């Protein structure tokens, strides 16, 4: 630290975000194959087009996949569904 106390102190925070997705199959979260299917689904915009390479959904450092029904019930809107994905 400098004598004049001019050094700026930096603070870091971890921010988590939630996206609710749905598929046409019952997947078991935790297997690498299932996680990749769900993450690929998430990597689309709400209109169904693929997200850009620098979008937050493509640059996750970590993730947790939870069963929607056990975690939040039926009250939250779904962000992405297989029927919205554009090929």
């Amino acid at each position: 630290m400098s004598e004049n106390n001019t050094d700026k102190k930096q603070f870091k925070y971890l921010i988590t975000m939630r996206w609710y997705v749905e598929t046409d199959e019952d997947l078991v979260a935790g297997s690498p194959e299932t996680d990749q299917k769900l993450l690929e689904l998430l990597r689309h915009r709400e209109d169904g087009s693929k997200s850009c390479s620098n979008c937050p959904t493509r640059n996750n450092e970590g993730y947790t996949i939870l069963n929607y029904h056990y975690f939040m019930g039926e009250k939250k809107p779904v962000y992405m569904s297989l029927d919205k994905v554009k090929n």
Side-chain angles (χ1 to χ4, degrees), residues 58-72:
R58 290 209 174 262
N59 297 294
N60 60 301
E61 189 170 309
Y63 62 87
T64 300
I65 297 174
L66 303 169
N67 187 305
Y68 176 88
H69 301 291
Y70 297 124
F71 186 64
M72 291 304 294

Side-chain angles (χ1 to χ4, degrees), residues 17-70:
M17 302 168 85
R18 290 186 210 160
W19 290 278
Y20 300 98
V21 299
E22 64 183 3
T23 66
D24 58 357
E25 60 184 311
D26 187 16
L27 300 172
V28 178
S31 81
E33 182 181 312
T34 294
D35 289 356
Q36 286 309 308
K37 285 181 181 180
L38 293 171
L39 289 172
E40 183 55 38
L41 181 60
L42 180 65
R43 292 172 177 153
H44 288 78
R45 293 183 181 95
E46 194 170 13
D47 69 0
S49 63
K50 286 196 174 229
S51 60
C52 60
S53 62
N54 60 354
C55 288
T57 58
R58 290 209 174 262
N59 297 294
N60 60 301
E61 189 170 309
Y63 62 87
T64 300
I65 297 174
L66 303 169
N67 187 305
Y68 176 88
H69 301 291
Y70 297 124

